[in-house]
Amino acid sequence: MHMSEGVLSAPVLGAGAALTVGGLAVGLRFMDNRRVPEVAVVASALFVASLIRFPVGPASVHLTLNGLAGILLGWMAFPAVFVALALQALLFQFGGFTTLGANTTVMALPAVVASYTCRRMLRAGGKTLSIIAGAIAGAIGVAGGVVLIALALVSTEESFKGLSMAFVAVHVPVLAVESAITAIVVAFLWKVKPELLGINGGINGDKGRGGILKSD
Amino acid sequence: MHLEEFAEGSSPLHRMDPRVKFLAAGPFLVLTALAGGLAAPAYALVVSIVLAVLAGLDPLKLGVRMLVVNVFVAVVWVFLPFSMQGEAAFSIGPFVASRQGVIYALQITLKTNAIVLATIAVYGTTEAMSLAHALVHLRAPVKLVYLFFYFYRYVSVLHEEYTRLREAMRVRCFHSRVSKHSYTTFANLIGMLIVRSFERSERVYEAMLCRGFHGHFPVIGHFHLHRVDYVMGTLLAVASAGVVAIRMTGL
């Protein structure tokens, strides 16, 4: 999910850039040296997974996976989304250099909201509760992103209302698929590697992994 | 995954110092994004075409990229002329397009193409690692640059991992369709990818510690400015000034 170059107005681009700088500052504070490769490699996994095409009726959709990024990375979703979009902007020219701030906010802000919304449910540790948290996070990720894009377009120019409404409408099936998939991914992680969900430390947890190799 | 389609070559833009690219082309892109009217965006598109010609980009590959970008532009043309208020320009059936809407859609078309073309010509012609290296020299937050570096390094690795998992699924006769089984399989695939990526990152960090990593990479190579950098830097600065000048004259 991203907005193209050359569309948004100066105030919208400025607001996006300012929010991104703030989010990056908080995210980088959470990301100590040990976590840099963690965040990078998990972010590249999410990036690769977001390229998968899911069949929906006769068409197919891509997932945004920002809700899942929120669960796994918390505030560090900001730097993770930022580098992913920067690479896309520099190499594929999807999104772009001048819209980097706005597009990072669109993806990462809902991720942070999802992380705060679901944190307590995940910490509680039950399987059903975790799956529900996953479904909620997936829904928040898509809905938040879609709403932010619609807001950005309409604040740029009121005539974008029609376009924004069409954009929201086509994302309803995406929201359903994303929510279901995020829930199943969380169920999988709950079984296989629960520490990733912040239940016992992990990337997002507060206890940390410790161990002899912990250097800082 | 082939990520750097345009990075090989010996054009002035390929030889340019990446630091100069950030300092000189950054303002041009931002000014173009902020430009109003039609004259400044049209001028910016001309500059971008000149840059693309200078970079000697493969027309076929470039065409494919530009086509993808213009899909969005096409959507804008479907909606904008008809939803904007103003004097009528033309009508299709019951829908009346306004002059203002057409001008605005044209402005977006020019700006989008100008920015994307310039981005490919300027940044696409340098390897991502050199861009990251230049960012370190330009005092960007080091952790962010390292994150970019690792992300770039491991995207292709994980894409291979993904391809392997998909092949394993194909061997077992998996067909993607709308069904609970299909979705669960995909979700487990994503979960597996995340678990493997996390475990890989642990090994990466441990290997880094074994090699004495303590928070930063030594930067061995340094950039030096050559004549091409002064020439291209000046050209880009003049091009940026042109965008401002056209706006000032009020066209």
Side-chain angles (χ1 to χ4, degrees), chain B residues 24-100:
Chain B
F28 173 70
L29 294 175
V30 173
L31 286 169
T32 305
L34 302 182
L38 283 181
Y43 161 79
L45 183 58
V46 172
V47 172
S48 300
I49 291 170
V50 171
L51 287 173
V53 171
L54 266 180
L57 303 175
D58 182 339
L60 192 70
K61 284 181 192 165
L62 188 63
V64 173
R65 291 282 177 95
M66 297 313 288
L67 204 66
V68 174
V69 172
N70 281 294
V71 170
F72 169 78
V73 172
V75 176
V76 167
W77 276 98
V78 170
F79 282 92
L80 209 51
F82 305 101
S83 60
M84 218 161 162
Q85 300 294 321
E87 50 190 290
F90 63 91
S91 61
I92 302 170
F95 302 108
V96 182
S98 70
R99 224 175 84 82
Q100 281 82 348

Coordinates of all heavy atoms in Angstrom, one line a residue, chain B residues 24-100:
Chain B
A24 N 22.5 16.9 -4.6 CA 22.1 17.8 -5.7 C 20.7 17.3 -6.3 O 19.9 18.2 -6.6 CB 23.2 17.7 -6.8
A25 N 20.5 16.0 -6.3 CA 19.2 15.6 -6.9 C 18.0 15.6 -5.9 O 16.9 15.8 -6.3 CB 19.4 14.2 -7.4
G26 N 18.4 15.5 -4.6 CA 17.3 15.5 -3.6 C 16.5 16.8 -3.7 O 15.2 16.7 -3.8
P27 N 17.1 18.0 -3.7 CA 16.3 19.2 -3.8 C 15.5 19.3 -5.1 O 14.3 19.7 -5.0 CB 17.4 20.3 -3.8 CG 18.5 19.7 -3.1 CD 18.5 18.3 -3.4
F28 N 16.0 18.8 -6.2 CA 15.3 18.8 -7.4 C 14.0 18.0 -7.3 O 12.9 18.4 -7.7 CB 16.2 18.2 -8.6 CG 15.4 18.1 -9.9 CD1 15.0 19.2 -10.6 CD2 15.1 16.8 -10.4 CE1 14.3 19.0 -11.8 CE2 14.4 16.6 -11.5 CZ 14.0 17.8 -12.2
L29 N 14.1 16.8 -6.7 CA 12.9 15.9 -6.6 C 11.9 16.6 -5.6 O 10.7 16.6 -5.9 CB 13.3 14.6 -6.0 CG 14.2 13.7 -6.9 CD1 14.6 12.4 -6.2 CD2 13.5 13.4 -8.2
V30 N 12.4 17.1 -4.5 CA 11.4 17.7 -3.6 C 10.7 18.9 -4.2 O 9.5 19.1 -4.1 CB 12.1 18.2 -2.3 CG1 11.2 18.9 -1.4 CG2 12.6 16.9 -1.6
L31 N 11.5 19.8 -4.9 CA 10.9 21.0 -5.5 C 9.9 20.6 -6.6 O 8.8 21.2 -6.7 CB 12.0 21.8 -6.2 CG 12.9 22.6 -5.2 CD1 14.1 23.2 -5.8 CD2 12.0 23.7 -4.5
T32 N 10.2 19.5 -7.4 CA 9.3 19.0 -8.4 C 8.0 18.6 -7.7 O 6.9 18.8 -8.2 CB 9.9 17.9 -9.2 OG1 11.1 18.4 -9.7 CG2 9.0 17.5 -10.3
A33 N 8.1 17.8 -6.6 CA 6.9 17.3 -5.9 C 6.1 18.4 -5.4 O 4.8 18.3 -5.4 CB 7.4 16.4 -4.7
L34 N 6.7 19.6 -5.0 CA 5.9 20.7 -4.5 C 5.4 21.7 -5.6 O 4.6 22.5 -5.3 CB 6.8 21.5 -3.5 CG 7.3 20.7 -2.3 CD1 8.1 21.6 -1.4 CD2 6.2 20.0 -1.5
A35 N 5.9 21.5 -6.8 CA 5.6 22.5 -7.9 C 4.1 22.4 -8.2 O 3.5 21.4 -8.3 CB 6.4 22.2 -9.1
G36 N 3.5 23.6 -8.5 CA 2.1 23.7 -8.9 C 2.1 24.1 -10.4 O 3.1 24.1 -11.1
G37 N 0.9 24.4 -10.9 CA 0.8 24.8 -12.3 C 1.1 23.7 -13.3 O 1.2 22.5 -12.9
L38 N 1.3 24.1 -14.5 CA 1.7 23.0 -15.5 C 3.1 23.3 -16.0 O 3.8 22.3 -16.4 CB 0.7 23.1 -16.7 CG -0.6 22.5 -16.5 CD1 -1.5 22.6 -17.7 CD2 -0.5 21.0 -16.1
A39 N 3.6 24.5 -16.0 CA 4.9 24.8 -16.6 C 6.0 24.2 -15.9 O 6.9 23.5 -16.5 CB 5.1 26.4 -16.7
A40 N 6.0 24.3 -14.5 CA 7.1 23.8 -13.8 C 7.2 22.3 -13.9 O 8.3 21.7 -14.1 CB 7.1 24.3 -12.3
P41 N 6.1 21.6 -13.7 CA 6.1 20.1 -13.9 C 6.5 19.7 -15.3 O 7.3 18.7 -15.4 CB 4.7 19.7 -13.6 CG 4.1 20.7 -12.7 CD 4.7 22.0 -13.2
A42 N 6.1 20.4 -16.3 CA 6.5 20.1 -17.7 C 8.0 20.2 -17.8 O 8.7 19.4 -18.4 CB 5.8 20.9 -18.7
Y43 N 8.5 21.4 -17.3 CA 10.0 21.6 -17.3 C 10.7 20.5 -16.6 O 11.7 20.0 -17.1 CB 10.3 23.0 -16.7 CG 11.7 23.2 -16.3 CD1 12.7 23.5 -17.2 CD2 12.0 23.0 -14.9 CE1 14.0 23.7 -16.8 CE2 13.3 23.2 -14.5 CZ 14.3 23.5 -15.4 OH 15.6 23.7 -15.0
A44 N 10.2 20.1 -15.4 CA 10.9 19.0 -14.6 C 10.9 17.7 -15.4 O 11.9 17.0 -15.4 CB 10.1 18.8 -13.3
L45 N 9.8 17.5 -16.2 CA 9.8 16.2 -17.0 C 10.9 16.3 -18.1 O 11.5 15.3 -18.3 CB 8.4 16.0 -17.6 CG 8.2 14.7 -18.3 CD1 8.5 13.5 -17.5 CD2 6.8 14.6 -18.9
V46 N 11.0 17.5 -18.7 CA 12.1 17.6 -19.7 C 13.5 17.3 -19.1 O 14.2 16.6 -19.6 CB 12.0 19.0 -20.3 CG1 13.2 19.2 -21.3 CG2 10.7 19.2 -21.1
V47 N 13.7 17.9 -17.9 CA 15.0 17.7 -17.2 C 15.2 16.2 -17.0 O 16.2 15.6 -17.2 CB 15.0 18.5 -15.9 CG1 16.3 18.1 -15.1 CG2 15.0 20.0 -16.1
S48 N 14.1 15.5 -16.5 CA 14.2 14.1 -16.2 C 14.5 13.3 -17.4 O 15.3 12.3 -17.4 CB 12.9 13.6 -15.6 OG 12.6 14.3 -14.4
I49 N 13.9 13.7 -18.6 CA 14.1 12.9 -19.8 C 15.6 13.1 -20.2 O 16.3 12.1 -20.6 CB 13.2 13.4 -20.9 CG1 11.7 13.0 -20.6 CG2 13.6 12.8 -22.3 CD1 10.7 13.5 -21.5
V50 N 16.1 14.3 -20.0 CA 17.5 14.6 -20.3 C 18.4 13.7 -19.5 O 19.4 13.1 -19.9 CB 17.9 16.1 -20.1 CG1 19.4 16.3 -20.2 CG2 17.2 16.9 -21.2
L51 N 18.1 13.6 -18.2 CA 18.8 12.8 -17.2 C 18.8 11.3 -17.7 O 19.8 10.6 -17.6 CB 18.3 12.9 -15.8 CG 18.6 14.2 -15.1 CD1 17.8 14.3 -13.8 CD2 20.1 14.4 -14.8
A52 N 17.6 10.9 -18.1 CA 17.5 9.4 -18.5 C 18.3 9.2 -19.7 O 18.9 8.1 -19.8 CB 16.0 9.1 -18.7
V53 N 18.3 10.1 -20.7 CA 19.1 10.0 -21.9 C 20.6 9.9 -21.5 O 21.4 9.1 -22.0 CB 18.8 11.1 -22.9 CG1 19.8 11.0 -24.1 CG2 17.4 10.9 -23.4
L54 N 21.0 10.9 -20.6 CA 22.4 10.9 -20.2 C 22.8 9.6 -19.5 O 23.9 9.1 -19.7 CB 22.6 12.0 -19.1 CG 23.0 13.4 -19.6 CD1 23.1 14.3 -18.4 CD2 24.4 13.3 -20.3
A55 N 21.9 9.0 -18.8 CA 22.2 7.7 -18.1 C 22.2 6.6 -19.0 O 22.7 5.5 -18.7 CB 21.2 7.5 -17.0
G56 N 21.7 6.7 -20.2 CA 21.7 5.7 -21.2 C 20.9 4.4 -20.7 O 21.4 3.3 -20.9
L57 N 19.7 4.7 -20.2 CA 19.0 3.6 -19.6 C 18.4 2.7 -20.7 O 18.0 3.2 -21.8 CB 17.8 4.1 -18.8 CG 18.2 5.0 -17.6 CD1 17.0 5.6 -16.9 CD2 19.1 4.3 -16.6
D58 N 18.3 1.4 -20.5 CA 17.7 0.4 -21.4 C 16.3 0.8 -21.6 O 15.4 0.7 -20.7 CB 17.8 -1.0 -20.8 CG 17.3 -2.0 -21.7 OD1 16.5 -1.7 -22.6 OD2 17.7 -3.2 -21.5
P59 N 15.9 1.2 -22.9 CA 14.5 1.7 -23.1 C 13.4 0.7 -22.8 O 12.4 1.1 -22.2 CB 14.5 2.0 -24.6 CG 15.9 1.9 -25.1 CD 16.7 1.2 -24.1
L60 N 13.7 -0.6 -23.0 CA 12.7 -1.6 -22.8 C 12.4 -1.7 -21.3 O 11.2 -1.7 -20.9 CB 13.1 -2.9 -23.4 CG 12.1 -4.0 -23.5 CD1 11.0 -3.6 -24.5 CD2 12.7 -5.4 -23.8
K61 N 13.4 -1.9 -20.5 CA 13.3 -2.0 -19.1 C 12.6 -0.8 -18.5 O 11.8 -0.9 -17.6 CB 14.6 -2.3 -18.4 CG 15.2 -3.7 -18.5 CD 16.5 -3.8 -17.8 CE 17.2 -5.1 -18.2 NZ 18.6 -5.0 -17.8
L62 N 13.1 0.4 -19.0 CA 12.6 1.6 -18.5 C 11.1 1.7 -18.8 O 10.3 2.1 -18.0 CB 13.3 2.8 -19.1 CG 13.0 4.2 -18.6 CD1 13.4 4.3 -17.1 CD2 13.7 5.3 -19.4
G63 N 10.7 1.3 -20.0 CA 9.3 1.4 -20.4 C 8.4 0.6 -19.5 O 7.4 1.0 -19.1
V64 N 8.9 -0.6 -19.1 CA 8.1 -1.5 -18.2 C 7.9 -0.8 -16.9 O 6.8 -0.8 -16.4 CB 8.8 -2.9 -18.0 CG1 8.1 -3.7 -17.0 CG2 8.9 -3.6 -19.3
R65 N 9.0 -0.2 -16.4 CA 8.9 0.5 -15.1 C 7.8 1.6 -15.2 O 7.0 1.8 -14.3 CB 10.2 1.1 -14.7 CG 11.2 0.1 -14.3 CD 11.0 -0.4 -12.9 NE 12.0 -1.4 -12.6 CZ 13.1 -1.2 -11.9 NH1 13.4 0.0 -11.5 NH2 13.9 -2.2 -11.6
M66 N 8.0 2.4 -16.3 CA 7.1 3.6 -16.4 C 5.7 3.2 -16.6 O 4.7 3.9 -16.1 CB 7.6 4.5 -17.6 CG 9.0 5.1 -17.4 SD 9.3 5.8 -15.8 CE 8.3 7.3 -15.9
L67 N 5.5 2.0 -17.2 CA 4.1 1.5 -17.4 C 3.4 1.2 -16.1 O 2.3 1.6 -15.9 CB 4.2 0.3 -18.3 CG 2.9 -0.1 -19.1 CD1 2.7 1.0 -20.1 CD2 3.1 -1.5 -19.7
V68 N 4.2 0.6 -15.2 CA 3.7 0.3 -13.9 C 3.2 1.5 -13.2 O 2.2 1.6 -12.6 CB 4.7 -0.5 -13.1 CG1 4.2 -0.7 -11.6 CG2 5.0 -1.8 -13.7
V69 N 4.1 2.5 -13.2 CA 3.9 3.8 -12.5 C 2.6 4.4 -13.1 O 1.8 5.0 -12.3 CB 5.0 4.8 -12.7 CG1 4.7 6.1 -12.2 CG2 6.3 4.2 -12.0
N70 N 2.4 4.4 -14.4 CA 1.3 5.1 -15.0 C 0.0 4.4 -14.9 O -1.1 4.9 -15.3 CB 1.6 5.4 -16.5 CG 2.6 6.6 -16.6 OD1 2.2 7.7 -16.3 ND2 3.8 6.3 -17.0
V71 N 0.0 3.2 -14.3 CA -1.3 2.5 -14.0 C -2.1 3.4 -13.0 O -3.3 3.7 -13.2 CB -1.1 1.1 -13.4 CG1 -2.4 0.5 -12.9 CG2 -0.6 0.2 -14.5
F72 N -1.3 3.9 -12.0 CA -2.0 4.7 -11.0 C -2.4 6.0 -11.6 O -3.5 6.5 -11.4 CB -1.0 5.0 -9.8 CG -1.5 6.1 -8.9 CD1 -2.5 5.8 -8.0 CD2 -1.1 7.4 -9.1 CE1 -3.0 6.9 -7.2 CE2 -1.6 8.4 -8.3 CZ -2.6 8.2 -7.3
V73 N -1.6 6.6 -12.5 CA -2.0 7.8 -13.2 C -3.2 7.6 -14.0 O -4.1 8.5 -14.0 CB -0.8 8.2 -14.1 CG1 -1.2 9.4 -15.0 CG2 0.4 8.6 -13.3
A74 N -3.4 6.5 -14.6 CA -4.6 6.2 -15.4 C -5.8 6.2 -14.4 O -6.9 6.7 -14.8 CB -4.5 4.8 -16.0
V75 N -5.7 5.6 -13.2 CA -6.8 5.6 -12.3 C -7.2 7.1 -11.9 O -8.4 7.4 -11.8 CB -6.4 4.8 -11.0 CG1 -7.5 4.9 -10.0 CG2 -6.2 3.4 -11.3
V76 N -6.2 7.9 -11.8 CA -6.4 9.3 -11.5 C -7.2 10.0 -12.6 O -8.2 10.7 -12.4 CB -5.1 10.1 -11.3 CG1 -5.3 11.6 -11.3 CG2 -4.4 9.7 -10.0
W77 N -6.9 9.6 -13.9 CA -7.6 10.2 -15.0 C -9.1 9.7 -15.0 O -10.0 10.4 -15.5 CB -6.9 9.8 -16.3 CG -5.8 10.7 -16.6 CD1 -4.5 10.6 -16.4 CD2 -5.9 12.0 -17.3 NE1 -3.8 11.6 -16.8 CE2 -4.6 12.6 -17.4 CE3 -7.0 12.8 -17.7 CZ2 -4.4 13.8 -17.9 CZ3 -6.7 14.1 -18.3 CH2 -5.4 14.6 -18.4
V78 N -9.3 8.5 -14.5 CA -10.7 8.0 -14.5 C -11.6 8.8 -13.5 O -12.7 9.1 -13.8 CB -10.7 6.5 -14.1 CG1 -12.2 6.0 -13.8 CG2 -10.1 5.7 -15.2
F79 N -11.0 9.2 -12.4 CA -11.8 9.9 -11.3 C -11.7 11.4 -11.4 O -12.8 12.0 -11.3 CB -11.3 9.4 -9.9 CG -11.8 8.0 -9.6 CD1 -11.1 6.9 -9.9 CD2 -13.1 7.9 -9.0 CE1 -11.6 5.6 -9.6 CE2 -13.5 6.6 -8.7 CZ -12.8 5.5 -9.0
L80 N -10.5 11.9 -11.4 CA -10.3 13.3 -11.1 C -11.1 14.3 -12.0 O -11.8 15.2 -11.5 CB -8.8 13.6 -11.1 CG -8.4 14.8 -10.1 CD1 -9.0 14.6 -8.8 CD2 -6.9 14.9 -10.1
P81 N -11.0 14.2 -13.4 CA -11.6 15.2 -14.2 C -13.1 15.3 -13.9 O -13.7 16.3 -14.1 CB -11.4 14.7 -15.6 CG -10.2 13.8 -15.5 CD -10.3 13.2 -14.2
F82 N -13.7 14.2 -13.5 CA -15.2 14.2 -13.4 C -15.6 14.6 -12.0 O -16.8 15.0 -11.8 CB -15.7 12.8 -13.7 CG -15.3 12.3 -15.1 CD1 -14.3 11.4 -15.2 CD2 -15.9 12.8 -16.2 CE1 -13.9 11.0 -16.5 CE2 -15.5 12.4 -17.5 CZ -14.5 11.5 -17.6
S83 N -14.7 14.5 -11.0 CA -15.2 14.8 -9.6 C -14.8 16.2 -9.2 O -15.2 16.7 -8.2 CB -14.5 13.8 -8.6 OG -13.1 13.9 -8.7
M84 N -14.0 16.9 -10.0 CA -13.6 18.3 -9.7 C -14.6 19.3 -10.2 O -15.0 19.2 -11.4 CB -12.2 18.6 -10.2 CG -11.4 19.4 -9.3 SD -9.6 19.2 -9.7 CE -9.0 20.7 -8.8
Q85 N -14.9 20.3 -9.4 CA -15.8 21.3 -9.9 C -15.1 22.3 -10.9 O -14.0 22.5 -10.8 CB -16.3 22.1 -8.7 CG -17.0 21.3 -7.6 CD -18.3 20.8 -8.1 OE1 -19.1 21.4 -8.8 NE2 -18.6 19.5 -7.7
G86 N -15.9 22.8 -11.8 CA -15.4 23.8 -12.7 C -16.1 23.8 -14.0 O -17.1 23.1 -14.2
E87 N -15.6 24.6 -15.0 CA -16.3 24.7 -16.2 C -16.1 23.4 -17.0 O -15.1 22.8 -16.9 CB -15.8 25.9 -17.0 CG -14.3 25.9 -17.1 CD -13.7 27.3 -17.7 OE1 -14.0 27.5 -18.9 OE2 -13.1 28.0 -17.0
A88 N -17.1 23.1 -17.8 CA -17.1 21.8 -18.5 C -16.1 21.8 -19.6 O -15.9 22.8 -20.3 CB -18.5 21.5 -19.1
A89 N -15.4 20.7 -19.8 CA -14.4 20.6 -20.9 C -14.9 19.6 -21.9 O -15.0 19.9 -23.1 CB -13.1 20.1 -20.3
F90 N -15.4 18.4 -21.5 CA -16.0 17.5 -22.4 C -16.8 16.5 -21.6 O -16.8 16.6 -20.3 CB -14.9 16.7 -23.2 CG -14.0 15.8 -22.3 CD1 -14.4 14.5 -22.0 CD2 -12.8 16.4 -21.7 CE1 -13.5 13.7 -21.2 CE2 -12.0 15.6 -20.9 CZ -12.4 14.3 -20.7
S91 N -17.6 15.7 -22.2 CA -18.5 14.8 -21.4 C -18.5 13.4 -22.1 O -18.4 13.3 -23.3 CB -19.9 15.4 -21.3 OG -20.5 15.5 -22.6
I92 N -18.6 12.4 -21.2 CA -18.7 11.0 -21.7 C -20.0 10.6 -21.1 O -20.1 10.4 -19.9 CB -17.6 10.1 -21.3 CG1 -16.2 10.7 -21.8 CG2 -17.8 8.7 -21.8 CD1 -15.0 10.0 -21.2
G93 N -21.0 10.4 -22.0 CA -22.4 10.0 -21.5 C -22.9 11.0 -20.5 O -22.8 12.2 -20.7
P94 N -23.3 10.6 -19.3 CA -23.8 11.5 -18.3 C -22.7 12.2 -17.5 O -22.9 13.1 -16.7 CB -24.6 10.6 -17.4 CG -24.0 9.3 -17.5 CD -23.4 9.2 -18.8
F95 N -21.4 11.8 -17.7 CA -20.3 12.3 -16.9 C -19.7 13.5 -17.6 O -19.3 13.4 -18.7 CB -19.3 11.3 -16.6 CG -19.8 10.1 -15.9 CD1 -20.0 8.9 -16.6 CD2 -20.2 10.1 -14.5 CE1 -20.5 7.8 -15.9 CE2 -20.7 9.0 -13.9 CZ -20.9 7.8 -14.6
V96 N -19.6 14.6 -16.8 CA -19.0 15.9 -17.4 C -17.6 16.1 -16.8 O -17.5 16.1 -15.5 CB -19.9 17.1 -17.1 CG1 -19.3 18.3 -17.8 CG2 -21.3 16.8 -17.7
A97 N -16.6 16.2 -17.6 CA -15.3 16.5 -17.1 C -15.1 18.0 -17.0 O -15.4 18.7 -17.9 CB -14.3 15.9 -18.0
S98 N -14.4 18.5 -15.9 CA -14.2 19.9 -15.8 C -12.8 20.2 -16.3 O -11.9 19.4 -16.3 CB -14.3 20.3 -14.4 OG -13.3 19.8 -13.6
R99 N -12.6 21.5 -16.8 CA -11.3 21.9 -17.3 C -10.3 21.8 -16.1 O -9.2 21.3 -16.3 CB -11.4 23.4 -17.7 CG -10.7 23.7 -19.0 CD -11.1 25.1 -19.5 NE -10.2 26.0 -18.8 CZ -8.9 26.3 -19.2 NH1 -8.5 25.7 -20.3 NH2 -8.2 27.2 -18.6
Q100 N -10.7 22.3 -14.9 CA -9.8 22.3 -13.8 C -9.3 20.9 -13.5 O -8.1 20.6 -13.2 CB -10.5 22.9 -12.5 CG -10.5 24.4 -12.5 CD -11.7 25.0 -13.3 OE1 -12.3 24.2 -14.1 NE2 -11.9 26.2 -13.2

